[in-house]
Amino acid sequence: MVRKEIQDDTDKMTGRSKQISPVPIHLSIYSPNVVNLTLIDLPGLTKVAVEGQPESIVQDIENMVRSYVEKPNCIILAITPANQDIATSDAIKLSREVDPTGERTFGVLTKLDLMDRGTNALEVLEGRACPLQHPWVGIVNRSQADINKNVDMIAARRKEREFFATSPEYGHLSSKMGSEYLAKLLSKHLESVIKARIPSISSLINKSIDELEAELCHLGRPVAVDAGAQLYTILELCRAFDRVFKEHLDGGRPGGDRIYGVFDNQLPAALRKLPFDRHLSLQNVRKVVSEADGYQPHLIAPEQGYRRLIDSSLNYFRGPAEASVDAVHIILKELVRRSIGETEELKRFPTLQAEIATAANEALQRLREDGKKTTLRL
């Protein structure tokens, strides 16, 4: 049933053309008689494309196998037939490329029962011919005839145990041979790998928890759902911004001192540069006074002349006064930007930050125009 399920799924994905697909078939088996193990069954490495397969299949299979065995958490089961020279084993060759230390590689010898009479695989199984960090395990699977006869796995395992127990070559190794021993060995090794990884996994989880808690703290308490509570929240946030802005203006944070500097330094310096010495020179005063009354004679200096001198003098103040308004406006805009950035409660709500900035800048723009008009009237 398991084999048929896998075959049907494969045919759905690739058709019956003997092609391969990198899309995995996930098959879960639950039983009290099996060990906890995740097994990824990859296609065997090939050297020649058979009929119905594209020429690229050799490289395609190798690429697919590499994509799995290169992962540092993967345990590699390098399977090699015992009736072939171990020196030509593609599985061992690839394993040594991706796992040069051999920490992740387990060697498996199959078809021990099909070796030529008079030969055995003791050189490999005892680690002399091709030593690995982990011991080699020999297994005996069902023959094609057994598969055709539907010999079940329980009978196949019993037959395998009998083979090793009665074999004159492998009898002394029988306790460390066979599929059941291999499954337990892999399960135990997987358990030890998981235990070794647990401290780093725990550290990663704890770090993630700390980061999420910091983010949660930054995000703050839940936002109310009903409109009244939301309005109250928005007003509270606006008050928080207002508090920070006032601290910049009134003291405690830098900002207000720059506005004071405009009136204490910038404006007086601009006024000192005004050309009053030329405008109020004796020659110019005489000229303005003499022209004030036209042809009418006068006994004392006419009032209209004085007024004209004062009006034209006041006009000189217009430029520095407007420049002072602009300078204060720029400082206030900068204080708005800084206050929004420094209001902790607002950091959760970027959209509200933008809205407050827009509203504040629009208000400052209106006040600048009013300020200029008032200044010119004064």
Side-chain angles (χ1 to χ4, degrees):
M1 285 173 66
V2 170
R3 184 173 71 248
K4 186 175 184 309
E5 185 74 22
I6 293 170
Q7 285 173 344
D8 291 346
D9 251 19
T10 305
D11 290 344
K12 272 186 218 168
M13 188 63 63
T14 64
R16 296 180 179 272
S17 59
K18 299 182 182 177
Q19 292 195 26
I20 63 160
S21 168
V23 179
I25 297 169
H26 294 280
L27 188 64
S28 299
I29 300 171
Y30 302 92
S31 165
N33 305 317
V34 297
V35 293
N36 288 323
L37 196 64
T38 300
L39 182 70
I40 302 169
D41 183 24
L42 297 165
L45 295 165
T46 61
K47 288 188 169 63
V48 180
V50 298
E51 185 182 357
Q53 292 180 333
E55 288 298 322
S56 64
I57 195 162
V58 176
Q59 191 61 46
D60 291 343
I61 291 176
E62 184 176 335
N63 291 342
M64 187 200 300
V65 172
R66 277 183 184 278
S67 71
Y68 283 94
V69 298
E70 283 177 342
K71 294 174 182 175
N73 287 339
C74 167
I75 299 170
I76 303 167
L77 207 57
I79 300 171
T80 303
N83 58 356
Q84 127 184 354
D85 186 358
I86 195 73
T88 64
S89 171
D90 291 323
I92 294 295
K93 176 177 175 288
L94 184 57
S95 299
R96 284 182 169 168
E97 283 181 30
V98 298
D99 179 32
T101 62
E103 289 179 9
R104 306 189 282 119
T105 303
F106 284 80
V108 179
L109 272 184
T110 63
K111 301 184 181 178
L112 287 167
D113 56 330
L114 300 180
M115 294 185 73
D116 292 338
R117 192 181 297 275
T119 61
N120 60 57
L122 284 176
E123 289 282 314
V124 176
L125 291 175
E126 291 178 349
R128 295 193 299 274
C130 182
L132 294 176
Q133 187 165 323
H134 300 288
W136 281 84
V137 178
I139 64 170
V140 175
N141 287 321
R142 292 178 300 172
S143 65
Q144 189 58 50
D146 291 339
I147 294 171
N148 293 341
K149 290 177 188 174
N150 282 328
V151 174
D152 64 39
M153 298 305 294
I154 295 170
R157 292 285 171 264
R158 187 172 59 248
K159 189 176 176 182
E160 182 186 42
R161 284 196 299 273
E162 288 171 1
F163 172 83
F164 285 112
T166 59
S167 168
E169 292 98 346
Y170 309 119
H172 66 292
L173 296 171
S174 61
S175 63
K176 295 184 178 179
M177 294 288 131
S179 305
E180 291 175 346
Y181 172 76
L182 176 62
K184 288 174 184 173
L185 180 69
L186 290 173
S187 181
K188 192 174 179 182
H189 182 72
L190 183 65
E191 187 180 322
S192 68
V193 169
I194 291 170
K195 280 181 180 175
R197 296 281 193 277
I198 282 174
S200 60
I201 292 170
S202 297
S203 174
L204 181 65
I205 290 170
N206 289 332
K207 184 184 175 188
S208 300
I209 288 171
D210 291 342
E211 288 173 354
L212 289 171
E213 284 182 344
E215 186 179 356
L216 195 61
C217 182
H218 171 68
L219 291 173
R221 62 183 184 276
V223 179
V225 178
D226 60 288
Q230 284 182 350
L231 180 60
Y232 175 78
T233 302
I234 291 170
L235 290 173
E236 283 293 301
L237 293 168
C238 290
R239 287 191 193 99
F241 160 73
D242 183 54
R243 185 186 67 252
V244 176
F245 184 73
K246 281 181 178 173
E247 285 175 6
H248 275 293
L249 274 183
D250 300 338
R253 302 193 195 208
D257 55 320
R258 290 169 58 198
I259 295 174
Y260 178 79
V262 170
F263 297 109
D264 199 45
N265 300 314
Q266 182 178 320
L267 182 59
L271 294 180
R272 280 193 289 272
K273 292 178 182 176
L274 295 177
F276 286 123
D277 53 344
R278 187 176 72 248
H279 181 67
L280 297 176
S281 64
L282 189 60
Q283 181 182 355
N284 195 49
V285 169
R286 187 183 292 119
K287 178 174 178 287
V288 171
V289 168
S290 64
E291 291 173 352
D293 282 349
Y295 63 90
Q296 295 292 333
H298 47 260
L299 298 173
I300 58 174
E303 183 185 348
Q304 196 171 348
Y306 290 139
R307 286 189 176 279
R308 191 170 294 172
L309 279 169
I310 291 169
D311 285 344
S312 54
S313 295
L314 285 173
N315 269 330
Y316 283 118
F317 287 98
R318 182 190 295 266
E322 288 186 327
S324 297
V325 175
D326 288 336
V328 172
H329 174 76
I330 289 169
I331 293 169
L332 291 174
K333 278 183 71 175
E334 172 65 15
L335 293 186
V336 165
R337 187 186 66 77
R338 284 168 59 181
S339 299
I340 289 173
E342 292 173 17
T343 306
E344 288 296 325
E345 297 91 332
L346 273 177
K347 289 181 179 177
R348 298 172 60 193
F349 307 102
T351 306
L352 184 60
Q353 280 184 333
E355 290 293 332
I356 289 177
T358 301
N361 288 327
E362 286 176 357
L364 286 177
Q365 185 62 35
R366 287 195 307 274
L367 293 168
R368 177 169 77 159
E369 300 307 318
D370 292 344
K372 280 189 176 181
K373 289 175 185 172
T374 303
T375 302
L376 293 178
R377 276 199 298 271
L378 287 170

